[in-house]
Amino acid sequence: MKLNMAEEEDYMSDSFINVQEDIRPGLPMLRQIREARRKEEKQQEANLKNRQKSLKEEEQERRDIGLKNALGCENKGFALLQKMGYKSGQALGKRGGIVEPIPLNIKTGKSGIGHEASLKRKAEEKLESYRKKIHMKNQAEEKAAEQFRMRLKNKQDEMKLEGDLRRSQRACQQLDAQKNIQVPREAWYWLRLEEETEEDEEEKEQDEDEYKSEDLSVLEKLQILTSYLREEHLYCIWCGTAYEDKEDISSNCPGPTSADHD
């Protein structure tokens, strides 16, 4: 009895507790995944081998085989052609023709005849419409840019005309003062004084009303005033010179406008 007890293993002994096991994390799970993949691949291979081909697939295979193989002498039509002098590889007809047969395009979709052409036409119309929109957009942008440039140029020209008019008014006021002319020929021939006495306020308002009632543009005023300066004072604002006589100004001054002095 004691011998039997000694032969039995002691589950509390060090020899039983210290047994080293492979307890690395994830190993059982990895093995299960690999086994499942192997079984799935084998099942797919078996299904692929045992799968029955559809009617369309069988027809396609037979058609491909038939198109790959050339007609032989056993074909009655080909035999008749050979009797008439036809040789393999030649074109049919007296004037020649195609050597390869017309390709066979099988329609597999459910759409009606002409549907693909209709889709192509609609796509081309859509593309053409898009191109027209882009073209119109580019034209509108170019027109807007040109209008902006014109407005900017007109504004610059207007500012230049106003500057030339102020120079002419200043020169007219000084030259008239040298000739003891107390009142300008027209109210706008001289620059407005920035400081005036209170007694002249009413006269100023009247002058402003007369000044505003003028329908002359800046260009017209400049032309009138420069002509007055040339005739009355023999002076050109663009040359900045007072000439001795009419002959001197006509021969030495390029002209009565700003463009003549460019």
Side-chain angles (χ1 to χ4, degrees):
M1 187 70 177
K2 290 182 180 180
L3 182 60
N4 291 336
M5 291 290 294
E7 291 177 354
E8 292 180 1
E9 292 184 357
D10 185 3
Y11 291 101
M12 299 299 294
S13 64
D14 294 336
S15 61
F16 185 83
I17 293 174
N18 294 331
V19 173
Q20 294 183 356
E21 295 181 357
D22 191 357
I23 55 173
R24 286 177 290 174
L27 274 180
M29 184 62 66
L30 288 174
R31 289 171 183 168
Q32 292 176 4
I33 292 172
R34 288 173 185 168
E35 290 296 329
R37 283 182 181 175
R38 289 196 193 99
K39 289 181 181 179
E40 186 177 355
E41 289 174 357
K42 289 180 180 180
Q43 187 66 32
Q44 288 178 356
E45 290 177 0
N47 293 338
L48 190 61
K49 290 179 180 179
N50 299 328
R51 185 175 67 86
Q52 187 176 2
K53 294 181 180 179
S54 64
L55 183 61
K56 287 184 178 181
E57 290 176 342
E58 291 179 357
E59 289 178 354
Q60 181 67 32
E61 287 182 359
R62 289 197 297 268
R63 190 184 303 113
D64 293 339
I65 293 170
L67 291 174
K68 287 178 181 178
N69 297 327
L71 295 176
C73 297
E74 68 277 3
N75 185 278
K76 293 182 180 181
F78 187 74
L80 289 173
L81 285 174
Q82 283 183 327
K83 289 179 180 180
M84 296 170 64
Y86 174 77
K87 293 182 180 180
S88 180
Q90 290 181 344
L92 295 175
K94 293 182 179 180
R95 299 181 181 179
I98 61 173
V99 177
E100 295 294 331
I102 298 173
L104 182 64
N105 296 322
I106 304 299
K107 184 175 176 56
T108 57
K110 295 182 180 181
S111 58
I113 297 173
H115 180 69
E116 294 180 359
S118 176
L119 290 177
K120 184 178 179 181
R121 186 179 67 255
K122 288 181 180 179
E124 290 176 352
E125 292 175 355
K126 188 176 181 181
L127 180 61
E128 185 65 24
S129 175
Y130 175 75
R131 287 174 178 171
K132 287 181 179 179
K133 288 181 180 179
I134 294 297
H135 182 65
M136 292 175 63
K137 182 180 178 182
N138 293 336
Q139 283 186 335
E141 290 177 353
E142 290 176 2
K143 186 177 180 180
E146 183 65 24
Q147 290 177 350
F148 174 75
R149 286 192 292 268
M150 290 297 295
R151 287 196 302 269
L152 186 62
K153 186 177 183 301
N154 292 337
K155 186 176 181 181
Q156 291 174 348
D157 293 342
E158 186 177 354
M159 292 174 63
K160 186 176 184 300
L161 289 175
E162 290 176 354
D164 290 342
L165 180 60
R166 286 194 297 271
R167 288 169 54 200
S168 301
Q169 289 172 330
R170 191 179 298 108
C172 181
Q173 188 171 356
Q174 292 175 358
L175 294 171
D176 284 350
Q178 291 176 6
K179 289 188 175 183
N180 294 324
I181 299 174
Q182 301 298 325
V183 180
R185 182 176 293 183
E186 296 290 341
W188 53 269
Y189 272 30
W190 290 2
L191 282 173
R192 298 282 172 175
L193 295 176
E194 296 181 359
E195 297 180 358
E196 295 184 2
T197 59
E198 294 180 358
E199 297 176 354
D200 297 334
E201 285 295 329
E202 294 181 0
E203 296 179 2
K204 177 182 177 183
E205 291 176 1
Q206 293 177 359
D207 292 341
E208 286 179 354
D209 293 337
E210 293 176 359
Y211 184 80
K212 290 177 182 177
S213 65
E214 297 286 349
D215 293 332
L216 297 174
S217 65
V218 176
L219 179 60
E220 291 172 338
K221 289 179 180 179
L222 180 62
Q223 291 174 346
I224 294 171
L225 188 53
T226 51
S227 298
Y228 169 78
L229 291 172
R230 293 174 70 87
E231 293 173 1
E232 188 67 26
H233 300 290
L234 302 173
Y235 182 79
C236 175
I237 62 165
W238 293 290
C239 295
T241 304
Y243 294 91
E244 295 179 358
D245 50 30
K246 291 184 178 180
E247 184 179 354
D248 186 19
I249 193 172
S250 62
S251 60
N252 294 319
C253 180
T257 63
S258 175
D260 297 330
H261 293 75
D262 290 341

